[in-house]
Amino acid sequence: MKILITTDWYTPAVNGVVTSVKNLQRELERRGHEVRILTLSQTLHSWSRDGVTAIGSVNAGRIYPGARLRTAMAGRWVRELMDWRPDVIHSQCEFSTFFLARRIAEELDVPLVHTYHTVYEDYTHYFSPSVRWGRCAVAAFSRWVAAQVDSMIAPTGKVRGLLQGYGVRCPVFVVPTGIDLRRFQQEGDPMRRAVLRASLGIPAENTVLVCVGRLAEEKNIQELLKLRASLGSRPVTLLLVGDGPDRSRLERVARDLRLEAPAVIFAGMVSPEEVPEWYRLGDLFVSASSSETQGLTYIEALAAGVPALCRADPCLEGVILEGENGWQYHSTAEFRQRLEDFLASPETHEALKRQAAESAEQFSAQRFAQRVERIYQMQLARRTACCVQGVTA
């Protein structure tokens, strides 16, 4: 098949959408398909090379940090993609490139599949002071998107349930996003890891709770800081890897809680190539977020052999297996009890590490691509059947 993937986010950006798109693109190509990307340029200049077409755009960080909006005329670039004649369009974002995806799909009369990556209910603080109004707007917007596409992909049952609650009527398939497990399963260099740990000033005896991701309000990192403060002088380091718009506020919260290194360390942004090594600095992966559609960082941590201790959330169903590769907590008391259980038994630690890596196998990028491929084939067959029926009638 010829497959066109449209996305507002692409390299050099680093987030879950980009990870999903890159993994899907790579694995579909390995399966013999021809894949092209339609995305936004990081400048006003549009360009096309190596199978990627990028339309000129401007910074829209006031709407959402890192976001961009298309400004350039896209007629020439869209025409080139139409001349290529993709068999199916797979949109990954609901804004700038979605309108181009819809236009191409309509003109070529090919299926348009859409992946719903973001639980916008948890992002309403970026555009509305009223949570209730924001949720109503999200529901209406989601119904509108669904009415434009042939089918939708939800990364988890949690997201499908939300879409059904919004009144979405198109078919919604649950397909967990896959990751390149090989990146995280490699053993890495113990000496390099020891040097990195020492450079951060983490004492040898400290247990490291690692959190990887954007420092944004919806990630609820403030709760992690409070949980660490509740441990008092215990030899535990909370290692926050990543950056974002909430960092300054979180650093103030840490100071107010009298947390300083090595109790809490803000490591900042690291390169994507180094991320697996940073996971392996952790003894436990921790997260207090309830805004994830799937949470690729959970799976990446497990693949790296790092068990998880995370706030309970429907998106973790089938991901965090209680007592096997980690735990989900509901309260501060439960968090502390699970941590105590973990610290008290080195045997439990080793068993959880082994089972964490094994449990991540179901989220391989290869399986992800196979599942998405079947949806494409299903939509193409459905479109063909409708055409045959139309001709017969």
Side-chain angles (χ1 to χ4, degrees), residues 219-391:
K219 300 300 183 180
N220 196 25
I221 292 167
Q222 180 170 319
E223 180 173 301
L224 294 179
L225 293 171
K226 292 179 178 178
L227 288 168
R228 174 57 192 87
S230 74
L231 300 175
S233 60
R234 294 295 300 273
V236 174
T237 293
L238 173 61
L239 177 60
L240 301 173
V241 182
D243 214 331
D246 213 25
R247 178 168 178 168
S248 296
R249 186 185 70 84
L250 290 170
E251 289 176 333
R252 289 195 299 271
V253 170
R255 288 194 295 269
D256 291 343
L257 292 170
R258 298 184 179 179
L259 291 174
E260 57 186 25
V264 61
I265 295 174
F266 289 84
M269 186 70 73
V270 302
S271 71
E273 295 75 22
E274 296 175 343
V275 166
E277 202 66 45
W278 285 85
Y279 278 116
R280 284 188 281 266
L281 278 178
D283 297 291
L284 274 174
F285 174 79
V286 293
S287 172
S289 175
S290 58
S291 67
E292 309 299 327
T293 52
Q294 180 182 4
L296 293 182
T297 54
Y298 301 107
I299 300 167
E300 290 174 349
L302 295 176
V306 183
L309 178 56
C310 302
R311 173 159 284 286
D313 187 83
C315 82
L316 296 178
E317 182 179 348
V319 179
I320 306 301
L321 309 175
E322 202 71 10
E324 294 183 28
N325 61 8
W327 301 274
Q328 298 183 50
Y329 71 89
H330 299 80
S331 65
T332 298
E334 189 173 4
F335 177 92
R336 294 181 61 177
Q337 183 59 57
R338 294 304 190 191
L339 181 58
E340 292 294 340
D341 294 342
F342 179 80
L343 296 174
S345 173
E347 295 79 11
T348 297
H349 185 182
E350 289 304 312
L352 286 169
K353 284 180 60 177
R354 183 178 63 255
Q355 290 164 175
E358 292 173 357
S359 68
E361 290 290 341
Q362 63 178 310
F363 299 106
S364 71
Q366 294 92 329
R367 293 189 184 185
F368 171 47
Q370 289 171 4
R371 292 165 178 163
V372 173
E373 179 188 61
R374 285 198 292 270
I375 293 172
Y376 295 161
Q377 293 167 341
M378 190 184 311
Q379 297 307 307
L380 284 166
R382 181 183 174 193
R383 182 65 63 100
T384 300
C386 290
C387 290
V388 170
Q389 291 174 359
V391 170

Side-chain angles (χ1 to χ4, degrees), residues 18-87:
V18 177
T19 298
S20 178
V21 169
K22 294 288 288 183
N23 287 337
L24 180 60
Q25 175 188 12
R26 184 188 63 250
E27 296 304 325
L28 287 172
E29 288 175 342
R30 284 179 176 170
R31 296 180 66 78
H33 304 294
E34 191 175 347
V35 182
R36 293 191 184 181
I37 305 294
L38 174 60
T39 187
L40 299 179
S41 169
Q42 295 298 298
T43 69
L44 293 172
H45 176 67
S46 299
W47 52 267
S48 181
R49 60 178 176 268
D50 300 326
V52 178
T53 298
I55 308 300
S57 69
V58 294
N59 189 312
R62 290 189 177 183
I63 300 174
Y64 179 78
R68 302 190 68 86
L69 292 176
R70 176 171 65 90
T71 56
M73 298 295 289
R76 166 196 164 188
W77 311 100
V78 167
R79 178 52 54 191
E80 288 182 359
L81 290 170
M82 287 184 183
D83 290 343
W84 178 59
R85 300 199 67 80
D87 298 297

Side-chain angles (χ1 to χ4, degrees), residues 153-205:
I153 293 175
T156 61
K158 167 188 173 179
V159 178
R160 179 167 65 179
L162 280 172
L163 291 171
Q164 291 171 338
Y166 294 156
V168 163
R169 297 186 180 277
C170 74
V172 180
F173 302 95
V174 175
V175 181
T177 297
I179 67 169
D180 184 1
L181 296 177
R182 290 163 295 189
R183 286 186 60 218
F184 301 93
Q185 291 172 334
Q186 295 172 358
E187 183 59 33
D189 184 350
M191 181 60 69
R192 183 184 175 194
R193 196 151 57 244
V195 170
L196 179 57
R197 181 179 176 121
S199 71
L200 293 168
I202 302 175
E205 67 274 13

